[in-house]
Amino acid sequence: MRRDLLQNLLLLAALSFAFRDGLQWLSGALLQGDGRYHGLLGVILFGVLLSRSDLRALWRPLRLGAAPVMVLLAGLALGAVSRWEHLRLLEALAAVIAGYGALGLLVSPEAWRRSRLPTLLLLLVVPSMSRLQGYLGFPARVLTAQLVSDALSLMGAASVDTGTVLHVEGQETYIDLPCSGMRSLWTGAAFYVAASWLEERRAGVLWALIGAAMALTLMLFNALRVGVLVGLSHVAQQPLLASVLHEPMGMIGFGVACLGAWAAIRFVLPAAAISPQTNPPRMAQAPHWLRPALMAAALAVGLQVAATAPVAPLPLPPPAGATAIPLLDAEAALMQSFDARAFKARFRQGGLEGEVVMVRTHRFRAQHQPDVCLRAGGATLEAILPHELGGIPVRLAMASTHADQPATAVWWYQSATLTTDDYAHRIFAGLGRRAPWIMVSLLVEGHHTPDDPLLSEVVQKMHDHANTLLQREES
């Protein structure tokens, strides 16, 4: 028994080693801002899981079960991918999945099944909304724009969607992140899983179908809300009424979807079968080689960092005539950790002066939304709106620097084949591809409108330089 305890603890230690970076990120995220509420819920859920688990299982050999092994290996595979791409959130989620698989090798099949819903809640507790918006927000917004455009066209309104921008009756509406519906989907999923757990319902195929129906209902209500708001603003010319109905419509749609899901949980889903037995059947033991094999797989994932250790990036040259500005130590360390190349420079062209930052990498984590850094540096920004300058899609905002000087912020993202002003689009287009992208961020002195030809010339020059850097072969 002591030997089994030692070997089981070694297996858990190997899994912790494999996911150490993701767990370290998770511990930090759960101690900051709203993450503390996630952390409190996570501690409660983890305590419930422990209280419902037979800790004496640590003193026993692993049980034989194909499903727990497959879940554990799936978690390790996901962890390997996340370590390769430096995706700490994904690594934290992989740790929960692998931990659930390991639990299945220690406890009875019935106890493992009962822990399914609490484990799903643990996955939802991980602070992931910002990443979820980045990964899935763009395709959700594209789908919303398409649905709204088709509905308005059927009703006779001249409507054309171009990605995440709707052109209705000659007016432009941008479908932004809050309109993606990701937050309502995440909150709805947490409600559905928690309600199913509290009502002690069986999580099977029917449960998954009802959950999918709830998600579809939330998406349709979100598209309906956006369609009504766009119709009121641009077709009926009632923008004030649209602003008044914005939040109530979202709350009504979410409430209807949750009420329908709760009714299905109470009256459609069967209760989970719990049959306590004083003398549970003896579980078949796993072969002796399984534990060392799983430990070896976990150690291989954990040691992968040596194969993907960052190296010092090559310098990225600024455009001709610009004066390079040294990167801060923290900026240089960030670039190195993600194998990125970057420069900051001071430029002067056609009577305009300012600073430009370019970051070249195939990993989106090294890039960001520049308004975050501008605000962190003390600048204030007014409304950030999409525009086209010389045919190049950009985000533009009037700004005031930390010295209270007027400025114009412009930024975009480009690859060798695509230019976009949408960070979520950049993430989605780059997933699974190793092609490099460049983030271009300009801070031009003074306030300049989108129709300023001098500003368009600066944007065109920087776009051309970024395109040259993308085509230049790494030495």
Side-chain angles (χ1 to χ4, degrees), residues 368-375 410-413 439-441:
H368 54 272
Q369 298 185 95
D371 60 297
V372 176
C373 282
L374 290 172
R375 289 191 173 99
V410 183
W411 63 86
W412 69 91
Y413 311 87
M439 180 199 76
V440 184
S441 176

Side-chain angles (χ1 to χ4, degrees), residues 110-122:
E110 182 179 346
W112 193 53
R113 284 192 294 270
R114 288 202 306 268
S115 64
R116 186 179 301 166
L117 292 177
T119 303
L120 284 175
L121 273 180
L122 270 180

Side-chain angles (χ1 to χ4, degrees), residues 417-453:
T417 59
L418 177 66
T419 299
T420 178
D421 61 313
D422 192 321
Y423 182 54
H425 190 185
R426 180 263 175 270
I427 294 176
F428 187 72
L431 287 178
R433 302 174 178 89
R434 307 295 291 183
W437 281 74
I438 288 184
M439 180 199 76
V440 184
S441 176
L442 301 171
L443 189 63
V444 184
E445 293 181 358
H447 286 165
H448 303 275
T449 59
D451 57 359
D452 187 339

Side-chain angles (χ1 to χ4, degrees), residues 25-44 89 122 124-130 183 186:
W25 170 86
L26 180 60
S27 62
L30 293 177
L31 295 176
Q32 298 177 2
D34 292 340
R36 286 175 289 189
Y37 299 104
H38 293 254
L40 179 61
L41 290 174
V43 170
I44 294 174
L89 167 64
L122 270 180
L124 292 170
V125 160
V126 175
S128 57
M129 180 48 59
S130 61
R183 186 171 297 278
W186 179 86

Side-chain angles (χ1 to χ4, degrees), residues 19 48 96 159 175 182 189 277 309 344 384:
F19 301 108
V48 170
V96 177
S159 174
I175 309 298
M182 284 297 103
Q277 299 177 4
K344 290 194 299 184
I384 302 172

Side-chain angles (χ1 to χ4, degrees), residues 11-305:
L11 174 59
L12 296 178
L15 291 173
S16 300
F17 174 75
F19 301 108
R20 63 191 182 280
D21 291 336
L23 294 174
Q24 182 180 3
W25 170 86
L26 180 60
S27 62
L30 293 177
L31 295 176
Q32 298 177 2
D34 292 340
R36 286 175 289 189
Y37 299 104
H38 293 254
L40 179 61
L41 290 174
V43 170
I44 294 174
L45 285 171
F46 190 70
V48 170
L49 277 172
L50 285 181
S51 66
R52 294 190 173 187
S53 301
D54 184 7
L55 296 181
R56 293 173 298 178
L58 289 172
W59 275 263
R60 295 195 290 262
L62 298 184
R63 76 172 183 88
L64 182 62
V69 172
M70 292 176 63
V71 171
L72 197 157
L73 291 179
L76 288 174
L78 186 61
V81 173
S82 62
R83 291 185 70 81
W84 180 266
E85 293 292 341
H86 296 261
L87 302 175
R88 298 298 175 243
L89 167 64
L90 199 61
E91 187 175 338
L93 296 176
V96 177
I97 294 172
Y100 177 63
L103 178 66
L105 293 172
L106 294 171
V107 301
S108 67
E110 182 179 346
W112 193 53
R113 284 192 294 270
R114 288 202 306 268
S115 64
R116 186 179 301 166
L117 292 177
T119 303
L120 284 175
L121 273 180
L122 270 180
L123 288 172
L124 292 170
V125 160
V126 175
S128 57
M129 180 48 59
S130 61
R131 303 292 193 276
L132 194 64
Q133 294 276 30
Y135 299 149
L136 301 179
F138 175 74
R141 287 151 55 203
V142 170
L143 179 60
T144 299
Q146 180 66 55
L147 290 174
V148 173
S149 175
D150 292 344
L152 291 175
S153 297
L154 289 174
M155 291 186 293
S159 174
V160 178
D161 76 289
T162 56
T164 58
V165 179
L166 277 174
H167 298 271
V168 183
E169 300 292 344
Q171 301 181 68
E172 189 176 88
T173 296
Y174 179 67
I175 309 298
D176 57 7
L177 278 178
C179 291
S180 68
M182 284 297 103
R183 186 171 297 278
S184 62
L185 282 175
W186 179 86
T187 309
F191 168 83
Y192 182 61
V193 175
S196 301
W197 180 35
L198 293 175
E199 293 287 347
E200 297 183 340
R201 298 310 186 198
R202 183 186 305 167
V205 176
L206 180 59
W207 179 85
L209 290 175
I210 294 175
M214 179 185 181
L216 181 60
T217 303
L218 287 170
M219 293 174 62
L220 291 176
F221 267 113
N222 182 65
L224 176 63
R225 177 176 65 93
V226 174
V228 170
L229 297 179
V230 172
L232 287 174
S233 297
H234 297 334
V235 180
Q237 298 298 317
Q238 296 290 332
L240 180 59
L241 180 59
S243 64
V244 170
L245 293 177
H246 184 274
E247 291 189 4
M249 286 191 66
M251 295 175 63
I252 291 172
F254 182 79
V256 169
C258 288
L259 183 62
W262 178 79
I265 291 171
R266 289 296 305 270
F267 304 112
V268 177
L269 282 177
I274 302 177
S275 54
Q277 299 177 4
T278 55
N279 297 309
R282 184 178 181 86
M283 295 182 293
Q285 293 185 10
H288 295 295
W289 54 264
L290 179 61
R291 200 156 27 196
L294 294 175
M295 290 174 59
L299 291 175
V301 172
L303 292 172
Q304 184 189 357
V305 68

